[in-house]
């Protein structure tokens, strides 16, 4: 009888350790992927910013070989103001995406994701940040895509939407709204948890 209980205890302990190690491995993998995306997006945002400033203030010919092999020379010769507006939208979208993954990395790095007590105020604040950043990315992607389509209609040779990474505004907006709903649910969960803690 004692041996059966001991065997059952050992088996259950091994199962718990396996689940915990798989969970730890998954979180480490997500942390590494988040860091890679954050660094890549930061480089992208810096490339757009530096190329825009270099083209505006130093050498306008650089518009032909813009960051990521984009050719914005036709836009630059068509209208300098539209060039500034379009590149500003590119920079804003890149910076917002970088911020989104910065906060993701920060959540993992500071170990603020507590699965034993998921309804906490700090994580709820991050959910709201993610939601508003996703909504802002979707809004600016929609504005940039609309401007790009309008410029194409004006016979200005523009790169494809996929090359300037402005596609998927509807997906970003949907993700932002979904995250807002989850943030509201978490807020309600925090209230219920604090009421439960006060009751006990």
């Amino acid at each position: 009888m004692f041996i059966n209980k001991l065997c059952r205890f050992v088996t259950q302990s091994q199962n718990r350790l396996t689940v915990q190690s798989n969970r730890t491995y998954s979180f480490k993998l997500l942390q590494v992927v988040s860091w890679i995306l954050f660094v890549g997006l930061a480089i992208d945002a810096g490339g757009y910013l530096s190329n825009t400033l270099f083209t505006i203030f130093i050498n306008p010919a650089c518009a032909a070989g813009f960051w990521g092999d984009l050719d914005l020379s036709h836009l630059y010769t068509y209208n300098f103001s539209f060039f500034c507006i379009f590149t500003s939208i590119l920079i804003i979208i890149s910076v917002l995406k970088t911020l989104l993954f910065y906060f993701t990395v920060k959540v993992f790095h500071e170990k603020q994701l507590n699965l034993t007590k998921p309804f906490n105020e700090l994580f709820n604040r991050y959910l709201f940040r993610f939601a508003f950043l996703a909504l802002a990315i979707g809004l600016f992607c929609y504005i940039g895509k609309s401007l790009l389509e309008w410029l194409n209609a004006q016979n200005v040779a523009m790169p494809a939407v996929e090359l300037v990474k402005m596609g998927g505004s509807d997906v970003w907006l949907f993700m932002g709204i979904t995250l807002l709903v989850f943030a509201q649910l978490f807020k309600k969960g925090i209230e219920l948890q604090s009421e439960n803690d006060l009751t006990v």
Side-chain angles (χ1 to χ4, degrees), residues 93-138:
I93 292 169
S94 297
V95 167
L96 288 173
K97 288 178 182 177
T98 304
L99 281 174
L100 184 74
F101 279 95
Y102 167 75
F103 287 125
T104 305
V105 165
K106 192 173 177 182
V107 165
F108 283 121
H109 183 68
E110 295 179 358
K111 298 186 181 10
Q112 296 169 345
L113 191 63
N114 185 1
L115 292 179
T116 58
K117 199 172 182 181
F119 297 108
N120 59 46
E121 191 63 41
L122 190 63
F123 190 67
N124 193 44
R125 242 182 288 140
Y126 276 113
L127 267 180
F128 273 111
R129 283 182 189 164
F130 292 148
F132 289 125
L133 282 170
L135 285 171
I137 292 168

Side-chain angles (χ1 to χ4, degrees), residues 110-183:
E110 295 179 358
K111 298 186 181 10
Q112 296 169 345
L113 191 63
N114 185 1
L115 292 179
T116 58
K117 199 172 182 181
F119 297 108
N120 59 46
E121 191 63 41
L122 190 63
F123 190 67
N124 193 44
R125 242 182 288 140
Y126 276 113
L127 267 180
F128 273 111
R129 283 182 189 164
F130 292 148
F132 289 125
L133 282 170
L135 285 171
I137 292 168
L139 178 69
F140 279 104
C141 282
Y142 179 76
I143 292 169
K145 182 182 171 188
S146 299
L147 178 62
L148 190 131
E149 290 170 351
W150 181 82
L151 288 167
N152 276 330
Q154 302 300 315
N155 294 324
V156 179
M158 293 293 291
V161 175
E162 295 80 23
L163 289 176
V164 291
K165 300 170 188 153
M166 289 184 183
S169 61
D170 52 346
V171 175
W172 284 106
L173 291 170
F174 178 74
M175 184 172 83
I177 291 169
T178 305
L179 286 172
L180 271 177
V181 169
F182 279 123

Side-chain angles (χ1 to χ4, degrees), residues 14-73:
Q14 286 176 341
N15 289 341
R16 272 190 234 127
L17 286 174
T18 304
V19 169
Q20 285 179 344
S21 66
N22 286 342
R23 194 177 300 152
T24 304
Y25 176 74
S26 298
F27 280 123
K28 290 290 183 188
L29 182 66
L30 285 173
Q31 186 176 10
V32 168
V33 169
S34 297
W35 266 107
I36 291 169
L37 288 171
F38 168 68
V39 169
L41 288 168
I43 290 170
D44 213 30
Y48 284 133
L49 179 63
S50 62
N51 276 325
T52 299
L53 294 175
F54 193 80
T55 302
I56 291 172
F57 295 114
I58 298 174
N59 187 4
C62 288
F66 204 73
W67 180 256
D69 293 331
L70 297 177
D71 184 6
L72 299 179
S73 60

